């Protein structure tokens, strides 16, 4: 589709420090991104820029340095740890004689490799096409001519215009298919709401250990690895807490600084699991030197997806890598748990997290004793479907005596919608 240099596995990384930029990129994270994409960093070109160049982003002298490096290392691709304009990518490819990819394109490539589910693949393709639609101009100069042939003589339509139109059609098709997936996901969410079970969503910077923590809590066997964006597709599991209450735990995609807007938009249905959660567990790499910046980036993305007001507990993970750090709980001035320290890999502190979750939801739960007549089979089945029955017995009159644990709001719903009479409530 593109008349451009082919991509390959040997890469020259280009990282420029721009002092006046508020959100400067991190070189170590960039190297991890490159490795996660499956390329071999052959060399790294660094430098400092007072201001960016309109043609190449970097200065002409640095372009020459990168070109020399590409030739010496026989590199197939030059990766820039910055966001390049379409014109800058085109100009750089012309000068460097190799494929050029910016930070956004690199992240999209990683997502394309990792997406496993049907929904995940649709989301990634949509994000890639949106990104590509702004870059059709490069490499297409040989196609800027009118079609010929019967019925197509005269103004006609250029090949570039045709492909722009086809891209637009494909984007619309993907949008419609994702809308159907979103409706199915909403149906599943409504079913969980009907079961009256709160949702707890794991969020955090990529590679903070969310999937490892998820597996530790649920024994789900979700793929977890020491690499960026190991998880793309959300996974949900039920977790029973020490007070016998139950919650739905959701493992979601990791965030990263300057997460592409196209990617956020494409993954909006997936991120709904975070937006609709009752509580967020913000997983933080306690061993990372950039942890404060990561916290700020995650909170920025949460605000962008309209999840910034959801209550959260900060979970400082990987304390096994931090010297003299022990599992513990920290509370705010109001006595509520604000953060805790644990190791998902070793399991140290996991019981504290379960305790924190139980405490967070305990004020919303009450225990009631119900007396159901022999004709109350439908209500009994409903209570079991909701997973709220703690104990069941039969009295001398043949009536069912049920002990149930239930959220206050769900108790009120049950009383008003399930024909629960006052004489059926013993306590």
């Amino acid at each position: 589709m593109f008349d451009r240099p082919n991509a390959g596995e040997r890469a020259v990384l280009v990282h420029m420090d721009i002092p006046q930029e508020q959100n400067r990129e991190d070189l170590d994270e960039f190297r991890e991104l490159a490795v996660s994409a499956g390329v071999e960093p052959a060399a790294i070109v660094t430098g400092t820029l007072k201001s960016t160049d309109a043609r190449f982003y970097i200065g002409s002298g640095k372009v020459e340095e990168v070109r020399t490096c590409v030739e010496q290392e026989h590199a197939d691709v030059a990766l820039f740890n910055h966001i390049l304009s379409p014109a800058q990518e085109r100009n750089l490819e012309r000068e460097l004689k190799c494929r050029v990819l910016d930070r956004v394109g690199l992240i999209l490539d990683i997502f394309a490799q990792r997406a496993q589910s049907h929904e995940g693949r649709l989301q990634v393709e949509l994000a890639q096409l949106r990104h590509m639609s702004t870059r059709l101009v490069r490499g297409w100069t040989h196609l800027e001519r009118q079609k010929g042939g019967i019925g197509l003589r005269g103004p006609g339509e250029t090949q570039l215009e045709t492909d722009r139109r086809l891209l637009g059609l494909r984007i619309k098709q993907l949008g419609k298919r994702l809308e159907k997936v979103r409706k199915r996901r909403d149906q599943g969410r409504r079913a969980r709401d009907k079961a009256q079970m709160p949702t707890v969503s794991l969020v955090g910077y990529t590679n903070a250990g969310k999937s490892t923590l998820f597996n530790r809590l649920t024994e789900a066997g979700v793929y977890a690895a020491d690499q960026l964006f190991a998880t793309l597709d959300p996974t949900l599991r039920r977790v029973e807490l020490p007070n016998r209450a139950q919650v739905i735990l959701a493992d979601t995609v990791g965030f990263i600084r300057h997460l592409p807007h196209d990617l956020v938009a494409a993954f909006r249905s997936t991120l709904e699991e975070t937006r609709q959660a009752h509580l967020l567990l913000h997983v933080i790499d306690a061993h990372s030197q950039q942890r404060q910046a990561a916290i700020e980036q995650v909170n920025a993305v949460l605000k962008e997806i309209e999840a910034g007001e959801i209550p959260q507990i900060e979970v400082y993970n990987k304390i096994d890598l931090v010297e003299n750090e022990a599992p513990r709980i920290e509370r705010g001035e109001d006595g509520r748990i604000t953060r805790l320290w644990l190791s998902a890999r070793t399991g140290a502190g996991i019981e504290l997290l379960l305790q924190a979750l139980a405490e967070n939801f305990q004020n919303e739960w009450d225990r009631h004793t119900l007396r159901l007549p022999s004709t109350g089979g439908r209500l009994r089945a409903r209570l079991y479907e909701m997973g709220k029955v703690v104990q069941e017995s039969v009295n001398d009159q043949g009536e069912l005596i049920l002990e149930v644990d239930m959220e206050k709001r769900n108790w009120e719903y049950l009383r008003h919608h399930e024909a629960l009479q006052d004489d059926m409530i013993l306590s």
Side-chain angles (χ1 to χ4, degrees):
M1 190 172 179
F2 286 88
D3 182 25
R4 301 171 54 204
N6 293 325
E9 296 184 350
R10 284 181 63 80
V12 170
L13 310 187
V14 181
H15 172 85
M16 306 304 294
D17 187 34
I18 306 175
Q20 66 269 27
E21 276 197 357
Q22 292 182 347
N23 298 315
R24 292 151 73 178
E25 307 294 358
D26 181 70
L27 178 57
D28 291 336
E29 180 182 88
F30 181 44
R31 189 185 293 108
E32 282 188 62
L33 280 171
V35 173
S36 296
V39 301
E40 175 191 349
I44 301 176
V45 176
T46 60
T48 302
L49 279 182
K50 292 183 179 180
S51 61
T52 60
D53 181 78
R55 288 188 63 204
F56 301 114
Y57 190 89
I58 57 178
S60 56
K62 189 61 69 172
V63 171
E64 185 63 33
E65 181 182 344
V66 174
R67 180 168 56 195
T68 301
C69 198
V70 167
E71 292 173 353
Q72 290 177 345
E73 300 294 340
H74 303 288
D76 310 291
V77 60
L79 303 178
F80 280 70
N81 193 21
H82 309 281
I83 299 176
L84 304 176
S85 70
Q88 287 168 342
E89 282 193 18
R90 182 175 68 250
N91 294 336
L92 285 167
E93 286 185 348
R94 186 181 296 120
E95 293 294 321
L96 302 180
K97 302 295 189 298
C98 74
R99 183 78 179 270
V100 172
L101 211 59
D102 70 352
R103 182 182 175 86
V104 173
L106 180 59
I107 293 174
L108 287 172
D109 186 84
I110 295 172
F111 271 61
Q113 294 180 46
R114 301 282 162 74
Q116 298 295 322
S117 69
H118 174 64
E119 179 185 7
R121 292 192 182 101
L122 290 178
Q123 289 168 327
V124 171
E125 184 182 354
L126 179 59
Q128 286 182 312
L129 291 181
R130 283 173 173 165
H131 183 66
M132 186 189 302
S133 64
T134 65
R135 284 158 163 74
L136 277 183
V137 64
R138 64 176 153 146
W140 289 76
T141 52
H142 67 298
L143 296 176
E144 285 285 7
R145 58 177 180 267
Q146 303 296 336
K147 288 182 179 179
I150 300 297
L152 289 175
R153 303 183 193 279
E157 182 180 42
T158 67
Q159 183 66 46
L160 180 56
E161 289 167 348
T162 301
D163 287 289
R164 278 181 177 151
R165 180 170 51 81
L166 293 176
L167 263 186
L169 289 174
R170 179 59 177 165
I171 288 173
K172 287 182 180 179
Q173 290 174 351
L174 289 172
K176 290 179 181 178
R177 291 169 68 179
L178 279 172
E179 182 63 21
K180 292 181 180 179
V181 173
R182 186 190 65 79
K183 289 180 179 178
R184 287 199 298 269
R185 187 179 290 280
D186 285 344
Q187 289 175 351
R189 191 177 297 112
R190 284 195 294 271
R192 295 197 301 274
D193 289 342
K194 190 177 180 182
Q196 313 297 338
M197 217 172 291
T199 301
V200 178
S201 182
L202 294 175
V203 300
Y205 209 74
T206 181
N207 204 28
K210 295 183 299 300
S211 294
T212 303
L213 179 60
F214 184 84
N215 287 335
R216 176 67 66 174
L217 291 169
T218 65
E219 299 181 357
V222 170
Y223 177 68
D226 184 20
Q227 59 186 17
L228 302 182
F229 300 117
T231 301
L232 285 191
D233 303 306
T235 307
L236 292 85
R237 292 291 187 275
R238 183 180 302 187
V239 175
E240 184 166 337
L241 305 179
N243 61 354
R244 291 192 286 191
Q246 293 182 329
V247 298
I248 297 293
L249 189 65
D251 185 22
T252 58
V253 62
F255 300 152
I256 195 170
R257 61 167 57 87
H258 301 156
L259 192 66
H261 288 287
D262 289 337
L263 211 50
V264 173
F267 274 74
R268 187 161 294 278
S269 62
T270 299
L271 295 172
E272 282 291 321
E273 300 297 347
T274 297
R275 292 178 59 190
Q276 301 295 331
H278 296 83
L279 176 70
L280 303 180
L281 293 183
H282 184 168
V283 183
I284 300 161
D285 183 352
H287 183 250
S288 173
Q289 296 180 350
Q290 305 292 329
R291 72 185 189 193
Q292 187 56 43
I295 292 172
E296 294 171 359
Q297 291 294 329
V298 169
N299 287 330
V301 175
L302 288 175
K303 186 176 180 180
E304 183 178 350
I305 65 173
E306 301 175 4
E309 300 301 319
I310 299 175
Q312 67 170 254
I313 296 176
E314 293 183 344
V315 179
Y316 283 78
N317 187 28
K318 304 186 183 181
I319 64 171
D320 53 304
L321 303 177
V322 183
E323 192 173 348
N324 300 323
E325 196 66 76
R328 68 181 188 277
I329 286 178
E330 296 182 14
R331 299 177 182 271
E333 294 180 356
D334 58 357
R336 294 177 64 89
I337 297 175
T338 57
R339 66 180 59 167
L340 56 88
W341 301 71
L342 54 74
S343 170
R345 188 179 67 84
T346 66
I350 293 297
E351 71 286 349
L352 295 180
L353 177 56
L354 292 172
Q355 173 189 328
L357 291 174
E359 182 178 321
N360 184 83
F361 292 108
Q362 71 177 358
N363 294 330
E364 302 179 15
W365 293 68
D366 281 330
R367 177 167 294 190
H368 301 276
T369 303
L370 304 179
R371 179 180 58 201
L372 304 185
S374 57
T375 56
R378 191 184 73 84
L379 180 55
R380 173 182 178 274
R382 177 81 174 100
L383 290 168
Y384 270 99
E385 177 188 347
M386 294 165 63
K388 307 304 182 186
V389 178
V390 177
Q391 186 174 342
E392 177 182 352
S393 60
V394 181
N395 64 13
D396 296 338
Q397 289 74 40
E399 298 170 316
L400 293 174
I401 307 299
L402 299 178
E403 285 189 31
V404 296
D405 279 337
M406 192 168 298
E407 287 180 288
K408 289 183 174 66
R409 63 183 179 88
N410 298 334
W411 172 252
E412 294 302 320
Y413 177 89
L414 190 73
R415 292 190 63 180
H416 288 92
H417 294 83
E418 294 291 345
L420 188 61
Q421 307 298 324
D422 290 340
D423 61 351
M424 299 165 62
I425 306 172
L426 300 181
S427 64

